[in-house]
Amino acid sequence: MQLVAVSAVIGAGIGFAYGALPALIMGAVPVSETAAANSLNTLMRSIGTSMASAIAGVILAQLTTTFGAVELPAQSGFRIVLGIGAAAALVALGIAAFLPGKVPPPDDQRRPAPTASASRGGGGRRLPS
C-alpha cells in the first residue's frame, strides 16, 4: 500500500512538472527561441526517461528475493530506486532555483497600451455610409 501511495505522489509530480515546463520555458527565453527551447526540453525529457527506466531496471534486477520458485525484486531495491528519484528531484529543484525570470520583449515588439476610446469601442475611424 505504501508503494502505491508513493507512486501516486511521484506520478502527480511528474504530471504537474511536464505540464508546467513548456510555459516556464517560454517565459524564460526570447520569443524567437521558444521552439528550440521546447524541443530541447522534449529531447532531454526523453533521454532522462530512458536512462531512469534502465537504471531502475538494473537495480531491481540485481536486488531480488526468492518467493517460492520465483525471483522477485526485493523491497530494498524499490527503496533504492525511490531514493535515487528523490535525490534527482532535489537536484532538479536546486537547478530550477537558478532559472532566469521572464524575459521582457524587446522595445520594438511591445504593444502600446489601449487608449480610453479604443477600450470603450467608440474610437477609431468610421467609414461613410
Side-chain angles (χ1 to χ4, degrees):
M1 184 64 174
Q2 184 181 19
L3 184 60
V4 172
V6 171
S7 295
V9 170
I10 290 171
I14 289 171
F16 285 133
Y18 278 10
L21 271 172
L24 291 172
I25 289 169
M26 287 189 291
V29 299
V31 176
S32 62
E33 300 295 323
T34 56
N38 277 318
S39 297
L40 181 64
N41 171 46
T42 303
L43 175 65
M44 291 297 114
R45 188 171 39 185
S46 296
I47 291 172
T49 303
S50 299
M51 286 181 59
S53 298
I55 291 169
V58 167
I59 291 170
L60 293 176
Q62 294 299 315
L63 299 172
T64 60
T65 185
T66 304
F67 187 73
V70 180
E71 290 281 325
L72 297 173
Q75 185 177 13
S76 61
F78 285 103
R79 287 184 177 160
I80 290 171
V81 169
L82 291 175
I84 291 171
L90 289 175
V91 169
L93 177 65
I95 292 171
F98 293 103
L99 288 176
K102 187 168 183 154
V103 176
D107 289 335
D108 60 341
Q109 291 184 359
R110 290 188 184 165
R111 293 184 181 151
T115 61
S117 62
S119 63
R120 287 192 307 256
R125 211 168 113 181
R126 296 181 186 234
L127 296 173
S129 16

